[in-house]
Amino acid sequence: MAENGEGLGTVPEHERILQEIESTDTACVGPTLRSVYDDQPNAHKKFMEKLDACIRNHDKEIEKMCNFHHQGFVDAITELLKVRTDAEKLKVQVTDTNRKFQDAGKEVIVQTEDIIRCRIQQRNITTVVEKLQLCLPVLEMYSKLKEQMSAKRYYSALKTMEQLENVYFPRVSQYRFCQLMIENLPKLREDIKEISMSDLKDFLESIRKHSDKIGETAMKQAQQQKTFSVALQKQNRVQFGKNMHFNDRIPEERNEVELKRAFEEEDENEEEGDEETFENYYRKQRKKQARLVLQPQSNMGYGFPVNRLFDLLFEIRDQYNETLLKKWAGVFRDIFEEDNYSPIPIVNEEEYKVVISKFPFQDPDLEKQSFPKKFPMSQSVPHIYIQVKEFIYASLKFSESLHRSSTEIDDMLRKSTNLLLTRTLSSCLLNLIRKPHIGLTELVQIIINTTHLEQACRYLEDFITNITNISQETVHTTRLYGLSTFKDARHAAEGEIYTKLNQKIDEFVQLADYDWTMSEPDGRASGYLMDLINFLRSIFQVFTHLPGKVAQTACMSACQHLSTSLMQMLLDSELKQISMGAVQQFNLDVIQCELFASSEPVPGFQGDTLQLAFIDLRQLLDLFMVWDWSTYLADYGQPASKYLRVNPNTALTLLEKMKDTSKKNNIFAQFRKNDRDKQKLIETVVKQLRSLVNGMSQHT
């Protein structure tokens, strides 16, 4: 009874403890559990039973709760499984949409970049237009200056230069073309000075020629002025009033004269140039002319005619020119001997200007290149040009003392220069070209040199024109024959190139050492031929500086000569036997020749034009390599024959040499059927070829 009472008392206590455990924070659970052990002795066991019962109740509630929500959970899982498929489809669609957006975005990016590029170009074009609008007035003024120089309006040209320097150039001074114009102005001023001095000389010469008429006119005008002054003085005495009125006008006229003089002095101060130099020269020459007026005429020394004396002077002049020609022949020979026949190297602007000052060379492409660079001609070209000018000076020095007109002196200078070019220089060039030590490289440089000398002839004509002041447009003016002179020298050099190139090919071919009885080929081309092809490649690279037709002709000539030399080697009468292995080895060499021809060693050939140089060899070797005698004999004489270029005589000669070799090698093989058949075939073909050759000779 006591136990039951004790149990009833502990149950509410245990429920209270369980409620505290369930509802209390975990930090306070410890004291609550300790009370279980502090109570009655069996309280722990009963508490555990009560705890198990409580746990079971909770499990039942959880189970009920799970049973209640299970169907919803299953439905949710089912829905998730259905959504999974849709999610994968959505993922694919999203990926595809993203890819399409990316692709569309690329086009947009490209178009955007194009728009940006176009806008940049538009901005650049606008900037260029603005700069051009700024530069156009400068260019127009400079063009106007050139036109004024061409029209010989030198005073206007000086004024235009002044405007360019003070107004236009400061606006565009940062551009390179402006700097070039600025650098060119001093030269133009110097040209104006030289031309003005030349005009002054001609003016003084014309004054000297017509001094008698000028003096007569001056004397008449002086007499008229004196008569007018006397009449004016008489009139002034009679009419006092008019005299007063006249005197009133004198200060006015004097003021106008002084004002005009002031303006003239101001203009003179503003003008640029060497007025003092011209004035002093004018005064000096006029004094000389005044002295010459008192001397007798040139065709009378003390009243006696001197025409025969002048005829003698003309003969002496001709002899003097001959002496000059002989002297300059030695000068030209020395120049050619000292030349290294290689382009002139230049490392800086100073060296470039030195060469340009000696020889009139213009090449915009060369000017744009950076240093170091090379002129295309060798050192002899500017030296020759300078010596021709020196010859003109020497010839002029003698002619000036003959009292001839400028036109006659101009004609004499041009004729003397033509003799120097067509006889002396041409002879020196031809002798140089034919010298044994002049190789292919030197000949190429000589051709280039003659081209530039030919182009410089027009500058020599301008040089003579500037000396004599006789325009080249004058009907009787003699032209320089530099064109024909240098063209003949160039043709001679080209012919020498073809000859020396063929000689070089012959030297290589002489090194050929074929084993004409070999049984098998070496498998590679012969060494001598590879050396020859390498030589031709290197020399044709040098030919790139030549005119296109010259290089092409040289290349075609070399290939044809090589083909002919190889054919002659096969058909040499001293060669008695040729084996099939030797023919195969020879075919390897011809293949290398064809490969060289197809590699376009010189540009400009149409299609396989260069390979046709070896067509005779190719068809002949193909015939022997394939052993296609039935086709050759059947199609011979037909325009579409496969072996149209194979001559029966050539084929017969080569086949007989192979027949002899076949007999020699098959003395002990006559019992083998294949060898016997081959020997019979060769003999049959030889007979047919002989009959074909005999028929051709009878027909001829």
Side-chain angles (χ1 to χ4, degrees):
M1 196 68 183
E3 294 178 356
N4 292 333
E6 184 181 0
L8 291 172
T10 58
V11 169
E13 182 67 17
H14 291 166
E15 291 179 354
R16 182 186 63 78
I17 293 172
L18 288 174
Q19 290 178 357
E20 289 183 359
I21 291 172
E22 291 177 353
S23 60
T24 308
D25 191 10
T26 56
C28 301
V29 173
T32 304
L33 292 176
R34 193 180 299 112
S35 64
V36 176
Y37 293 94
D38 293 341
D39 289 341
Q40 300 176 4
N42 294 327
H44 175 263
K45 181 178 179 182
K46 292 179 179 180
F47 176 76
M48 295 301 295
E49 292 175 353
K50 187 64 176 177
L51 181 61
D52 290 339
C54 183
I55 291 171
R56 285 194 296 272
N57 289 333
H58 283 301
D59 289 341
K60 289 179 181 179
E61 291 177 359
I62 291 171
E63 185 177 356
K64 288 179 182 179
M65 183 66 69
C66 290
N67 289 333
F68 179 78
H69 293 288
H70 176 71
Q71 187 60 39
F73 177 75
V74 172
D75 294 340
I77 294 300
T78 303
E79 290 294 329
L80 284 174
L81 291 175
K82 292 180 180 179
V83 171
R84 179 180 180 181
T85 304
D86 295 335
E88 291 179 353
K89 293 181 180 179
L90 180 61
K91 181 180 179 182
V92 173
Q93 292 177 356
V94 170
T95 304
D96 185 56
T97 303
N98 179 59
R99 181 179 54 78
K100 292 180 179 178
F101 273 123
Q102 294 293 336
D103 294 340
K106 290 180 180 178
E107 296 180 359
V108 173
I109 291 172
V110 172
Q111 294 177 358
T112 303
E113 291 177 351
D114 291 340
I115 292 173
I116 294 173
R117 192 180 301 110
C118 290
R119 287 181 178 175
I120 293 174
Q121 291 177 353
Q122 185 178 7
R123 185 172 68 250
N124 292 340
I125 290 172
T126 304
T127 304
V128 170
V129 170
E130 293 176 355
K131 300 300 182 183
L132 285 177
Q133 289 176 349
L134 187 63
C135 296
L136 278 176
V138 182
L139 297 175
E140 289 175 355
M141 287 297 291
Y142 195 78
S143 177
K144 179 181 178 182
L145 173 61
K146 289 292 187 180
E147 293 176 358
Q148 291 170 344
M149 291 291 292
S150 300
K152 299 183 178 181
R153 296 164 53 199
Y154 301 117
Y155 181 79
S156 301
L158 289 173
K159 292 298 183 183
T160 304
M161 288 184 197
E162 184 178 356
Q163 292 181 2
L164 283 171
E165 289 178 331
N166 298 331
V167 180
Y168 292 95
F169 282 164
R171 301 176 183 174
V172 292
S173 59
Q174 68 273 23
Y175 298 114
R176 184 171 178 268
F177 78 90
C178 180
Q179 297 298 325
L180 294 176
M181 291 179 180
I182 293 174
E183 294 173 0
N184 198 31
L185 287 187
K187 182 179 181 299
L188 293 177
R189 281 198 174 91
E190 189 65 24
D191 292 342
I192 292 176
K193 179 180 176 182
E194 292 178 359
I195 294 171
S196 300
M197 181 61 74
S198 178
D199 292 341
L200 179 59
K201 291 179 180 178
D202 290 344
F203 172 70
L204 292 172
E205 183 179 355
S206 64
I207 290 178
R208 179 181 175 183
K209 290 180 180 178
H210 305 91
S211 59
D212 52 349
K213 295 181 180 179
I214 294 173
E216 181 181 356
T217 303
M219 294 296 289
K220 288 181 180 179
Q221 290 179 355
Q223 183 63 33
Q224 291 175 359
Q225 182 68 27
K226 183 178 179 181
T227 305
F228 176 75
S229 299
V230 172
L232 185 61
Q233 290 176 2
K234 291 180 179 180
Q235 185 179 2
N236 289 338
R237 295 190 190 99
V238 175
Q239 297 178 354
F240 178 78
K242 292 182 179 180
N243 188 33
M244 292 296 295
H245 180 68
F246 179 76
N247 290 333
D248 291 339
R249 289 189 302 175
I250 289 177
E252 184 178 349
E253 292 179 357
R254 188 174 300 165
N255 291 335
E256 292 179 358
V257 171
E258 292 178 354
L259 182 62
K260 182 178 180 182
R261 184 178 301 167
F263 281 124
E264 290 177 353
E265 290 178 354
E266 184 179 357
D267 290 339
E268 290 176 357
N269 292 331
E270 291 178 355
E271 290 179 3
E272 295 184 7
D274 296 333
E275 292 96 337
E276 185 177 354
T277 302
F278 284 93
E279 184 177 354
N280 293 335
Y281 179 80
Y282 176 79
R283 292 180 182 277
K284 182 178 178 181
Q285 293 299 319
R286 290 298 289 159
K287 287 179 181 178
K288 289 183 178 179
Q289 290 182 2
R291 296 191 191 100
L292 291 174
V293 170
L294 303 176
Q295 297 178 0
Q297 298 181 4
S298 58
N299 60 350
M300 303 289 290
Y302 302 104
F304 295 97
V306 292
N307 293 330
R308 296 182 63 183
L309 179 60
F310 276 107
D311 293 339
L312 177 61
L313 288 176
F314 290 150
E315 293 180 5
I316 295 175
R317 181 205 63 191
D318 295 337
Q319 295 297 325
Y320 178 73
N321 282 337
E322 290 295 328
T323 303
L324 290 179
L325 292 174
K326 292 179 181 178
K327 177 183 177 181
W328 257 262
V331 172
F332 291 151
R333 284 195 297 268
D334 293 340
I335 292 174
F336 290 140
E337 289 295 331
E338 295 172 359
D339 195 8
N340 58 3
Y341 298 98
S342 59
I344 302 174
I346 46 176
V347 297
N348 52 41
E349 186 70 23
E350 288 73 16
E351 293 185 2
Y352 183 85
K353 290 181 179 179
V354 168
V355 177
I356 292 298
S357 64
K358 296 179 180 177
F359 182 75
F361 180 82
Q362 295 178 352
D363 188 355
D365 295 334
L366 183 64
E367 292 180 1
K368 295 177 183 177
Q369 296 178 13
S370 58
F371 293 100
K373 51 189 176 182
K374 294 181 179 180
F375 283 99
M377 65 277 187
S378 64
Q379 289 285 356
S380 63
V381 173
H383 292 165
I384 291 293
Y385 183 79
I386 292 174
Q387 288 302 320
V388 173
K389 292 173 68 174
E390 292 295 330
F391 174 85
I392 295 173
Y393 276 128
S395 181
L396 175 65
K397 188 174 182 180
F398 187 89
S399 300
E400 282 181 337
S401 303
L402 298 179
H403 302 286
R404 289 294 176 178
S405 65
S406 299
T407 303
E408 292 174 321
I409 293 177
D410 180 88
D411 188 62
M412 287 188 289
L413 286 180
R414 293 178 184 273
K415 289 181 178 179
S416 300
T417 307
N418 275 331
L419 284 176
L420 180 72
L421 295 176
T422 59
R423 195 170 74 184
T424 305
L425 183 56
S426 176
S427 177
C428 291
L429 279 171
L430 294 177
N431 292 334
L432 173 68
I433 291 169
R434 297 190 181 101
K435 286 188 176 181
H437 70 277
I438 298 296
L440 291 171
T441 306
E442 289 79 7
L443 288 171
V444 171
Q445 189 61 55
I446 289 173
I447 291 177
I448 297 172
N449 289 351
T450 56
T451 302
H452 290 285
L453 286 172
E454 177 183 325
Q455 295 172 355
C457 282
R458 60 189 182 95
Y459 295 100
L460 291 175
E461 289 186 339
D462 294 339
F463 176 72
I464 297 176
T465 299
N466 292 333
I467 291 177
T468 61
N469 201 27
I470 299 299
S471 175
Q472 298 181 26
E473 283 72 22
T474 306
V475 177
H476 67 274
T477 301
T478 305
R479 298 293 180 182
L480 296 184
Y481 301 144
L483 182 64
S484 59
T485 299
F486 297 116
K487 185 178 293 184
D488 294 341
R490 195 156 51 247
H491 288 333
E494 292 169 6
E496 198 68 19
I497 283 178
Y498 307 148
T499 301
K500 287 185 180 295
L501 190 58
N502 291 342
Q503 290 175 354
K504 200 68 178 178
I505 292 174
D506 293 339
E507 292 176 4
F508 278 99
V509 172
Q510 289 174 3
L511 299 176
D513 187 18
Y514 287 100
D515 181 7
W516 297 109
T517 60
M518 64 171 56
S519 57
E520 296 292 336
D522 293 339
R524 61 179 182 274
S526 303
Y528 86 94
L529 187 71
M530 297 306 299
D531 293 339
L532 171 58
I533 291 176
N534 291 332
F535 164 75
L536 292 177
R537 290 188 189 280
S538 63
I539 200 65
F540 287 145
Q541 287 180 355
V542 179
F543 284 9
T544 55
H545 302 291
L546 290 174
K549 293 297 182 182
V550 179
Q552 293 172 16
T553 304
C555 187
M556 176 59 75
S557 173
C559 290
Q560 290 175 345
H561 185 75
L562 176 58
S563 176
T564 302
S565 300
L566 293 175
M567 181 69 79
Q568 291 175 351
M569 191 184 301
L570 281 178
L571 304 179
D572 189 2
S573 59
E574 296 182 0
L575 179 61
K576 303 299 182 183
Q577 297 176 349
I578 301 178
S579 65
M580 193 61 194
V583 173
Q584 293 172 349
Q585 178 64 39
F586 200 82
N587 183 60
L588 293 176
D589 293 346
V590 175
I591 290 175
Q592 290 298 322
C593 295
E594 292 171 327
L595 291 175
F596 167 73
S598 63
S599 66
E600 197 176 9
V602 171
F605 285 104
Q606 297 290 335
D608 57 350
T609 303
L610 194 58
Q611 299 179 50
L612 293 177
F614 301 96
I615 188 65
D616 293 353
L617 273 173
R618 172 46 51 211
Q619 291 190 6
L620 178 65
L621 291 173
D622 284 348
L623 176 60
F624 277 84
M625 295 290 292
V626 181
W627 210 253
D628 194 9
W629 293 104
S630 59
T631 302
Y632 173 72
L633 293 171
D635 295 345
Y636 179 76
Q638 301 297 325
S641 174
K642 182 179 179 181
Y643 305 101
L644 181 64
R645 305 299 295 268
V646 179
N647 188 282
N649 277 313
T650 304
L652 177 61
T653 302
L654 187 58
L655 190 61
E656 286 180 338
K657 294 180 180 182
M658 294 186 67
K659 182 183 69 172
D660 295 339
T661 304
S662 178
K663 287 182 178 180
K664 180 178 179 181
N665 294 336
N666 291 303
I667 294 177
F668 300 103
Q670 56 183 343
F671 299 105
R672 292 199 293 269
K673 187 176 183 302
N674 292 337
D675 296 332
R676 291 198 307 272
D677 293 343
K678 184 176 181 181
Q679 185 66 26
K680 289 181 180 179
L681 177 60
I682 292 176
E683 292 177 354
T684 302
V685 173
V686 168
K687 291 179 181 179
Q688 293 176 343
L689 286 175
R690 284 176 179 169
S691 62
L692 182 61
V693 170
N694 292 332
M696 290 174 57
S697 61
Q698 292 176 1
H699 178 72
T700 302

